Amino acid sequence: MVLFVTVVCVILFLVCLDIMKPRGFPPGPMWLPVLGNLLWFRQQKTVLGYYHFVWSSLYTQYGPVVGLRLGRDRIVIVSGYDAVRDVLLREEFDGRPDGFFFRLRTFGKRLGVVFTDGPGWLEQRRFCLRHLRKFGLGKRSMEAQIETEAGELVQSLRIQCRGGEAPLQLHDVFDVCVLNTLWAMLAGHRFALDDQRLKELLEIVHASFRMLDVSGGLLNQMPLMRFIAPNSCGYKQILGVLQPMWGFLKETIEEHRSTFSRDCARDLIDSFIEEMESRNGKAGLMFNDLQLVSLCLDLFMAGSETTSNTLGFAVMYMLLHPDVQSRAQAELDSVVGRDRQPTLQDRPRLCFLESVIMEVQRRANIAPAALPHRALKDAVLMGHTIPEGATLLVSLWSLHMDSEHWGDPEVFRPQRFLDDKGCVVQDDWFVPFGFGKRRCLGEMLARSSLFLFFSSLLHNFSISLPPGYPAPSVDGYDGVTLSPRPFYAKLVPRT
């Protein structure tokens, strides 16, 4: 009897210990033993439909800094301009989460450039930027590559639309051409727009972004679930994404290695191989085969997701707002004329078109919670204690949809980014690429691609809803990013 009472008391003590929040931890819902807020979170997600809606409801109830525990992970949700800016600009919050899911995608190690931090991350980021610039990033050759891809896309769409008679699915029409602009610098070649293997890879990449949220999902919070319920926790599905991607990238790297010529690098992969050889086996974790595959995986997935999703939403909004489309096309005709295609040099004079792109980015919120951050040491945020290792989810949605700042955030209104003279104005609350040290690595390429692909499409086609087809929904698929649902549109070539 004494033993039984002792065991019960120990269990109760451990339960109480497990549900106690760290001193000063941000406010939030009560925790359950072991599971934390997992059950509550899943129920809220079911009711509200989107992860960022759950974060928004917590912001409303508890304030700009909210604390949760999902499984063993301590999660801090950060919303509102002041709190978001504080996190993104402070070095102690510049880390990336380190958990099972984040290591699974890079062979059980902390590799790549997206989910790493510290000196290794800084070295890889600098290496990437230096060599991407060497092979065109920010240069006229990059612009020429995007213009070529835009021209190929326009030509392909002219054939497919059959003079406006054939409705087309356009939610993912930009996938291959957007990736090509990065792939030319990364791997030195482009894919044909009808490359079937690449389309299949891109489909599984898109699917992977919809499997979980930026916190890493159940697999990261309770990794033992991969043995108990590999399907329910997403383990088998994630492996189904990673294995063909690893295979494709390893093939690409081996092709480079077989034709590699030292001191004559053709692209980023060649430069990485050259760096490995120059270090004569002393590269450690920073320059080896697994790191190269992981780096290519990061760039491939980032380069094939956010920009193409934004362009898909842009087409959708033009279909839903023909008045905006007509005004943008009139501006294009006035500035560019009908005898040539738009270029980046036209951008400063295409103010309304630029405001349309900005409004699409604001309203679509492709990355509503950005990429997760990690506290590198104990810190204080707006009066709350953030323990070392806690994951911070930064709600960009809370900035882009703030009703006090924007007035009518639900309304698609590009004019909010124009002044009285029709010139583009920057707004501190508009941060689609984030800011601070972890600002998006591909921002320059993304901005150029958004402008050239979107302007080329509007310059060459009028977009309308095909008779008998439903209007598309602006509510996209949920996940790490938001992606447009499939929709049909009619493209009529402009003369």
Side-chain angles (χ1 to χ4, degrees), residues 159-172:
I159 296 171
Q160 294 179 57
C161 75
R162 299 201 305 247
E165 295 180 4
L168 301 176
Q169 269 199 344
L170 296 182
H171 68 288
D172 59 356

Side-chain angles (χ1 to χ4, degrees), residues 4-301:
F4 175 76
V5 172
T6 302
V7 170
V8 170
C9 290
V10 169
I11 292 173
L12 289 175
F13 173 76
L14 291 175
V15 167
C16 292
L17 195 65
D18 193 50
I19 64 175
M20 287 180 60
K21 295 185 179 183
R23 187 171 184 177
F25 196 65
M30 293 295 296
W31 297 346
L32 292 176
V34 182
L35 298 176
N37 300 114
L38 269 176
L39 296 180
W40 174 90
F41 172 72
R42 285 180 170 269
Q43 184 269 337
Q44 289 293 301
K45 170 63 166 58
T46 300
V47 172
L48 298 175
Y50 290 86
Y51 295 113
H52 57 274
F53 284 174
V54 178
W55 311 145
S56 181
S57 69
L58 288 170
Y59 178 27
T60 301
Q61 185 173 357
Y62 293 102
V65 184
V66 181
L68 301 176
R69 202 187 85 192
L70 301 179
R72 304 310 305 172
D73 295 346
R74 292 173 180 174
I75 309 292
V76 177
I77 316 300
V78 182
S79 306
Y81 181 81
D82 292 335
V84 166
R85 186 175 179 82
D86 202 3
V87 168
L88 295 183
L89 292 180
R90 288 172 60 179
E91 288 188 5
E92 58 262 50
F93 298 133
D94 276 344
R96 290 290 193 220
D98 181 13
F100 179 80
F101 164 73
F102 301 104
R103 288 179 176 242
L104 174 64
R105 58 192 298 279
T106 52
F107 312 101
K109 305 175 185 294
R110 296 202 79 192
L111 300 174
V113 74
V114 172
F115 290 113
T116 53
D117 49 49
W121 161 76
L122 190 58
E123 183 179 20
Q124 290 294 306
R125 180 183 173 91
R126 287 172 176 168
F127 178 88
C128 284
L129 284 174
R130 182 169 71 252
H131 289 283
L132 287 175
R133 286 173 183 142
K134 176 181 176 181
F135 298 111
L137 184 65
K139 297 181 179 179
R140 175 56 194 158
S141 57
M142 181 193 76
E143 297 176 24
Q145 179 67 34
I146 303 173
E147 289 167 6
T148 298
E149 294 300 330
E152 291 281 340
L153 178 63
V154 167
Q155 184 178 1
S156 174
L157 291 174
R158 284 188 184 277
I159 296 171
Q160 294 179 57
C161 75
R162 299 201 305 247
E165 295 180 4
L168 301 176
Q169 269 199 344
L170 296 182
H171 68 288
D172 59 356
V173 72
F174 298 97
D175 282 3
V176 177
C177 56
V178 165
L179 179 61
N180 274 341
T181 61
L182 172 64
W183 207 245
M185 294 179 280
L186 179 63
H189 70 270
R190 66 179 300 275
F191 300 97
L193 296 184
D194 59 355
D195 187 303
Q196 192 55 41
R197 184 187 183 189
L198 182 65
K199 286 186 175 182
E200 291 171 359
L201 284 172
L202 289 170
E203 285 177 6
I204 64 174
V205 167
H206 290 319
S208 72
F209 275 81
R210 297 196 289 265
M211 287 180 185
L212 37 80
D213 69 298
V214 290
S215 70
L218 183 61
L219 187 60
N220 196 67
Q221 293 140 13
M222 303 185 73
L224 287 177
M225 290 296 292
R226 70 187 188 278
F227 302 116
I228 303 169
N231 284 312
S232 300
C233 71
Y235 180 63
K236 289 188 69 173
Q237 295 91 327
I238 292 171
L239 283 183
V241 170
L242 291 173
Q243 287 169 347
M245 284 299 305
W246 288 334
F248 168 75
L249 294 172
K250 287 177 180 178
E251 281 181 27
T252 302
I253 292 167
E254 285 308 309
E255 289 171 2
H256 275 67
R257 187 169 272 122
S258 67
T259 58
F260 172 72
S261 175
R262 186 171 179 80
D263 300 323
C264 187
R266 299 158 294 184
D267 47 51
L268 181 64
I269 292 177
D270 271 0
S271 296
F272 200 98
I273 294 172
E274 183 180 339
E275 185 72 16
M276 284 194 290
E277 292 192 355
S278 70
R279 296 193 179 206
N280 195 27
K282 299 177 182 178
L285 285 176
M286 291 301 97
F287 288 91
N288 59 32
D289 287 340
L290 292 184
Q291 169 64 15
L292 179 53
V293 175
S294 301
L295 181 63
C296 290
L297 178 68
D298 282 347
L299 295 177
F300 184 103
M301 297 188 79

Side-chain angles (χ1 to χ4, degrees), residues 278-466:
S278 70
R279 296 193 179 206
N280 195 27
K282 299 177 182 178
L285 285 176
M286 291 301 97
F287 288 91
N288 59 32
D289 287 340
L290 292 184
Q291 169 64 15
L292 179 53
V293 175
S294 301
L295 181 63
C296 290
L297 178 68
D298 282 347
L299 295 177
F300 184 103
M301 297 188 79
S304 61
E305 181 68 15
T306 53
T307 300
S308 58
N309 284 353
T310 303
L311 287 165
F313 276 114
V315 175
M316 182 187 297
Y317 277 109
M318 294 305 93
L319 193 155
L320 295 172
H321 298 275
D323 56 325
V324 173
Q325 179 185 171
S326 296
R327 180 172 171 181
Q329 288 170 329
E331 183 183 59
L332 278 164
D333 291 345
S334 174
V335 172
V336 178
R338 302 301 306 157
D339 59 346
R340 66 177 180 86
Q341 298 301 311
T343 69
L344 281 182
Q345 285 66 48
D346 298 314
R347 191 173 183 176
R349 296 187 295 156
L350 291 168
C351 295
F352 184 73
L353 182 73
E354 184 75 7
S355 75
V356 172
I357 294 172
M358 294 169 72
E359 181 69 344
V360 170
Q361 291 179 285
R362 183 199 68 83
R363 184 63 185 84
N365 279 291
I366 299 299
L371 286 175
H373 288 238
R374 178 173 64 92
L376 297 173
K377 60 182 181 180
D378 290 347
V380 175
L381 176 64
M382 302 192 79
H384 304 292
T385 301
I386 310 300
E388 179 180 350
T391 297
L392 295 99
L393 303 185
V394 178
S395 176
L396 301 184
W397 170 274
S398 68
L399 272 62
H400 293 163
M401 300 301 290
D402 186 280
S403 57
E404 290 187 13
H405 180 77
W406 301 104
D408 52 357
E410 299 290 338
V411 176
F412 184 80
R413 186 167 58 84
Q415 292 88 339
R416 71 176 79 246
F417 290 106
L418 298 174
D419 62 18
D420 294 340
K421 297 180 180 179
C423 297
V424 174
V425 293
Q426 299 299 323
D427 193 301
D428 289 343
W429 290 62
F430 175 67
V431 287
F433 299 101
F435 48 83
K437 285 187 177 180
R438 302 305 305 231
R439 192 181 185 104
C440 176
L441 179 67
E443 179 178 353
M444 185 186 304
L445 177 61
R447 288 185 183 278
S448 299
S449 296
L450 287 173
F451 175 81
L452 284 171
F453 285 119
F454 185 60
S455 62
S456 296
L457 187 74
L458 287 189
H459 195 54
N460 288 277
F461 300 99
S462 291
I463 308 166
S464 60
L465 186 67

